[in-house]
Amino acid sequence: MHSHIAEAIKQPDLIRLEPDLICLRFETMKIYSALGAVRHLLGSGAVKPGDTLIDSSSGIYAQALALACHRYGLKCHIVGSTTVDRTLRVQLEILGATLEQVEPSKNLRLDQELRVRRIAEILEENPSYHWMRQYHDEIHYYGYREVADVMDREIPAGPVTLVGGVGSGASTGGIATYLRESGRDVSVVGMQPFGSVTFGSEHVPDPDMIIAGIGSAIEFKNVRHDLYDRIHWVNFECALSGSVELLRSTGIFAGLSAGAAYLTTHWERRGDGSRTYVFIAADTGHRYVEDAYAQHRGAKDIETLRPHEIASLDELKPPWSAASWRDISRSAHGG
């Protein structure tokens, strides 16, 4: 029996869609990141019950941190993106967390810069607050050891390809790190939106993309680039098509990043029966209904979609590009 709702909703579901294809589904994935980080901070004495934790969020991390603070008797303040919807705002208010949202921005970079700037102002006014730094502090990796342990127990022996959004780097990076420590042969395929600086697509805008959580307009120090074997850059139209097909064919109602992961996995596993493919569905689809799922009649058949394989970041182009990140890295460094 669970002692708190945070412990219950963090549990992932491993859903076998085909013999070599598994969906790692979460109600809200970042609860692992938040709980692991908060436990570490309390255990090390860096914070104590009653203290205030503060961070920036575009959505699901805000809920996760609020629940972790509720679980351990801490206060929570979120500087949120405009993508934080009314449903989440009401939950945060009732949980006792405080939320302030930055002004609407024309692009992801300005939105993230405004949030970080506001955090700096708040910390200057309230030096006792602890900034969680989900994008930069490696303590956000720790909670994903539990996820890796579950996967290692339940997925048959053999090589695994993990597919998921890069985001802050802690989820795909943490799971892959701990799976490899257990002795697993793991390859990692990361997804990015166009316009993200993390893997060099900042020069290719995608004004329709609303999955800011898988990309970044500022440098995220928690991203360990050498953990990723391949990268796919996916635009809104492709992510929507993947999400609609995922729901239609499997019944899994998940966020846009899950749709992008499903589409990417569908491509990567073609003709390869030697590995088990696991793609991450980081959250449910509820907050994407109006801005994405409502457009489902315009979604494309994913069988008609294919990525533009590139050898250089100069070749990046929408709607979908893919590359061996190791090859691009070697080329960029003269290897």
Side-chain angles (χ1 to χ4, degrees):
M1 185 177 297
H2 301 290
S3 58
H4 192 273
I5 184 63
E7 305 292 346
I9 66 172
K10 76 175 185 179
Q11 299 295 333
D13 301 305
L14 280 166
I15 306 167
R16 187 179 296 281
L17 305 180
E18 295 186 32
D20 65 338
L21 178 61
I22 295 171
C23 176
L24 179 63
R25 178 197 174 274
F26 296 87
E27 183 172 336
T28 175
M29 181 183 67
K30 288 195 174 180
I31 193 70
Y32 271 103
S33 176
L35 281 174
V38 168
R39 285 170 179 158
H40 176 81
L41 291 170
L42 288 167
S44 67
V47 301
K48 61 184 184 300
D51 285 352
T52 298
L53 308 186
I54 182 173
D55 213 343
S56 163
S57 174
S58 61
I60 61 174
Y61 184 77
Q63 180 192 28
L65 185 60
L67 285 171
C69 287
H70 187 274
R71 166 74 175 81
Y72 288 107
L74 295 153
K75 297 174 184 175
C76 177
H77 185 79
I78 299 293
V79 177
S81 166
T82 53
T83 57
V84 177
D85 62 15
R86 185 172 183 270
T87 301
L88 180 53
R89 289 199 303 271
V90 171
Q91 288 183 70
L92 294 176
E93 182 177 348
I94 295 172
L95 283 169
T98 51
L99 167 72
E100 58 178 287
Q101 290 177 272
V102 296
E103 293 295 318
S105 304
K106 293 181 179 179
N107 58 60
L108 176 60
R109 182 179 187 86
L110 183 57
D111 177 76
Q112 289 179 329
E113 286 179 344
L114 286 173
R115 284 189 270 145
V116 172
R117 191 181 309 155
R118 178 58 186 144
I119 285 177
E121 294 171 354
I122 294 171
L123 289 172
E124 187 172 346
E125 298 164 3
N126 303 273
S128 65
Y129 286 11
H130 182 89
W131 182 15
M132 293 298 291
R133 300 174 78 245
Q134 66 151 320
Y135 305 134
H136 308 302
D137 195 327
E138 65 179 15
I139 63 174
H140 289 89
Y141 272 63
Y142 298 163
Y144 291 107
R145 182 183 291 278
E146 291 182 48
V147 182
D149 289 344
V150 170
M151 291 175 65
D152 194 37
R153 285 196 308 271
E154 297 197 24
I155 295 174
V160 172
T161 294
L162 178 69
V163 184
V166 176
S168 68
S171 58
T172 44
I175 294 170
T177 296
Y178 296 126
L179 271 178
R180 285 169 176 165
E181 284 183 4
S182 73
R184 285 273 186 165
D185 172 358
V186 181
S187 64
V188 187
V189 180
M191 291 147 14
Q192 285 277 276
F194 291 98
S196 173
V197 305
T198 305
F199 285 90
S201 68
E202 64 269 24
H203 60 291
V204 185
D206 180 13
D208 294 324
M209 181 54 77
I210 57 173
I211 46 175
I214 72 168
S216 63
I218 56 178
E219 180 187 4
F220 288 174
K221 294 180 181 177
N222 265 345
V223 177
R224 301 173 186 170
H225 292 75
D226 61 341
L227 293 177
Y228 297 86
D229 299 280
R230 283 179 58 78
I231 297 294
H232 284 245
W233 296 262
V234 181
N235 78 351
F236 170 78
E237 181 182 53
C238 288
L240 172 62
S241 298
S243 298
V244 169
E245 181 57 31
L246 178 62
L247 178 56
R248 179 184 290 125
S249 63
T250 72
I252 296 172
F253 182 48
L256 276 179
S257 68
Y262 181 62
L263 175 71
T264 296
T265 306
H266 181 77
W267 177 261
E268 287 287 327
R269 66 185 278 266
R270 68 199 189 287
D272 180 6
S274 65
R275 310 182 69 85
T276 297
Y277 285 80
V278 181
F279 70 93
I280 296 173
D283 59 351
T284 66
H286 296 84
R287 71 183 181 126
Y288 301 95
V289 170
E290 294 301 325
D291 293 329
Y293 277 99
Q295 305 175 43
H296 68 91
R297 290 183 180 85
K300 295 189 174 181
D301 181 351
I302 66 171
E303 297 292 345
T304 68
L305 301 174
R306 59 187 301 133
H308 169 58
E309 194 74 27
I310 65 171
S312 164
L313 293 175
D314 295 335
E315 301 171 5
L316 273 170
K317 64 179 183 181
W320 180 10
S321 294
S324 164
W325 183 249
R326 298 186 185 283
D327 289 347
I328 285 185
S329 296
R330 280 195 294 268
S331 176
H333 292 91

